[in-house]
Amino acid sequence: MNHRPLLLAIAVAAGLLSLSACRKTPSPEQEKPAARAENGETADQFVARINAEFKAAYPELTSAQWLSSTYINDDSQLVAAKANERALAQLNAWIEEAKKFEGQPMSDDSRRALNLLKQATAMPAPRDPEKLAELTRIAAKMEGAYGAGTYCSGEGAARKCRQLGELEDVLRSSRDYDAQLDAWAGWHSIAQPMREDYVRFVELVNEGARELGYADTGAMWRSGYDMEPDAFSAETDRLWEQVRPLYEQLHCYTRDKLQQTYGVERGVVGEGLLPAHLMGNMWQQDWGNLWDMLQPYKGVGDLDITAALERQYQQLLSAALHRRGPSPGPRERFEAEREAQLAMAKAMTERAQDFYVSLGMPRLPESYWEKSQFIKPLDRDVVCHASAWDMNMGGADGKSPDVRTKMCIKPNEEDFTTIYHELGHIYYDLAYNPQPPLFQNGANDGFHEAIGDTIVLAMTPKYLESIGLVQGQAQSHEALINTQMRMALAKVSFLPFGLMIDRWRWGVFDGSITPDRYNQAWWELKARYQGVAPVQPRGEEFFDPGAKYHVPGNTPYTRYFLAHLLQFQFYKSLCEAAGHTGPLYECSFHGSEAAGEKFRAMLARGASQPWQATLKELTGSERIDGGAVLEYFAPLQEWLQQQNQGKSCGWQAPAAPAAQAAPAAATPAKDA
């Protein structure tokens, strides 16, 4: 996750301009003398001024938010809320001032910057100072509540309190049906107190969006993709229809394995839906932790990255214990464990850095290693949700770039690939830091999320073997299917989840999903898109959307859906640049200077031009497309169709009440 400051983020896309607005020859109108404000300032001078003011104010805001995420308490929440309040007030003032230049001659870059300014926050604030202050307090409170969320069970001496990481460990490794259900339901209970705050939050951001000229906040988010909001919704529907058949085959195969493991009744909910608590992930967005039951060919082409990382950790722990003498006590052992955990987290991060460096990118600054959060601290609550931070937009006044990541790294495959993903954000930041501040962002928000995942696709078995994580891989069809299944459990399983979160929020923002059916609508959409359902009733006393960070954190989520398609397009293009021949899935461009040069050129563009132009420069196409996904997974899709032959695939989502019917029919059950 790329963490631009929560409130003052150039977040929703690359602006409102069409492709024709990208650095064209000045029109006769533009050749007229520049219009000036009452103070004699031209539009170009105004943009230069706010760029300078924005960059000067930026470190104070990011520092406040860093503290509120890594030292969660009432004081840090207050500091963050006040910093956000000042930033939003300044943003509103800039936007109001920019109106003086509407329709006036200015450079194309200035026109683009002013459009981006209007889109500069995912959290539009009302102009009323009291309401603005209320909004920032609620935002800080909800994010803090998520980070400090704790589920306690049992009584007296048996009372046990666990936070998200420990509860995720249960879903990751346990196959005890009831233990998994307890962990899943326990985490979802932490969001219940957010519900009232979220209702008010929606009212406030919608007021802010309307003051900016948008119908609601969802329409504002969708307006940032160089197309009309409704056209963007239709485009995401088109992309989903491209890849949905592949997801349905994976869903069918997974349901069969769950029923084999837990029994026919427990392995399915209703008409073909997967039980939410059995998917190995708190939100069912990544099914990789079900590898023990979903592995197509047991033991073929061993890709147990988690086991390899655990062995490396144990070696570091043994060395740390050895340094403490022949018989370390409990305190010494505890210190050795913390030392080994930090060393392992940094070693995993260094390995990810090496991949980027092999493409010609710089090593991370020393301050990165000093200031990042690599493991969970012992003395305070933190937000462990992984994120990447650019603290000072490349530095100024002789200061070097201050970039950081925030994670609670554990030696497992999920965290290992997440580090590669997060460093993608960091290297994007570093590449476009020379751009003016208002252009320091991704071409669209999906680009930012796709960069690191493009690298993850290049982490082929041969690459993993080269860094000592897996043994030599036998070239066989069975090994290929195993490799593709591991990737699909992360990439394909995510696709509908990446779509449904904002489908829910768009409905909340436009009023079609009212507060009295927040939870009902959430699970209707989970069923419709993901084909998953809870095994227990989840009434309106719950607020299950709040159990996913991006809802209380107000981070638009369609970017992740787009990223899961863009990364395959990027990957294919970089493989071609590296001179790869053969099946797409065999390509690793690790060490390719040609691929690195092409990649860096795209990253350096930032948001300085419409995303379609940037996409075309890298891939030759102006359109996001799922074709590369289907090309990559073609062997697996054929294999899944064979495995599912004769089975009843698909699912039927529970019918919504007649007066509140879902906007589209559920996926029908059908034979494979």
Side-chain angles (χ1 to χ4, degrees), residues 253 257 287-288 290-304 478-479 481-483 485-486 489 639:
Y253 172 81
K257 295 298 182 181
W287 303 351
L290 302 185
W291 181 244
D292 57 310
M293 68 179 76
L294 299 183
Q295 183 178 8
Y297 299 102
K298 301 296 183 183
V300 177
D302 183 15
L303 289 175
D304 194 345
E478 289 79 7
I481 296 303
N482 272 3
T483 300
M485 179 63 78
R486 287 192 75 89
L489 293 178
W639 184 86

Side-chain angles (χ1 to χ4, degrees), residues 1 6 123 139 142-143 146 201 505 548-556:
M1 173 186 170
L6 179 65
M123 190 183 300
M142 289 195 301
E143 187 167 17
Y146 184 93
F201 175 87
R505 280 193 291 201
K548 177 61 178 172
Y549 169 80
H550 300 73
V551 174
N554 195 52
T555 304

Side-chain angles (χ1 to χ4, degrees), residues 354-361 455 573-580 587-603 618:
D354 290 344
F355 197 117
Y356 290 89
V357 171
S358 83
L359 300 177
M361 300 183 192
I455 302 297
S573 178
L574 295 176
C575 288
E576 292 170 352
H580 174 73
C587 167
S588 178
F589 48 80
H590 176 257
S592 170
E593 293 183 3
E597 183 178 355
K598 194 170 186 179
F599 209 20
R600 294 196 309 276
M602 185 195 78
L603 301 181
L618 181 67

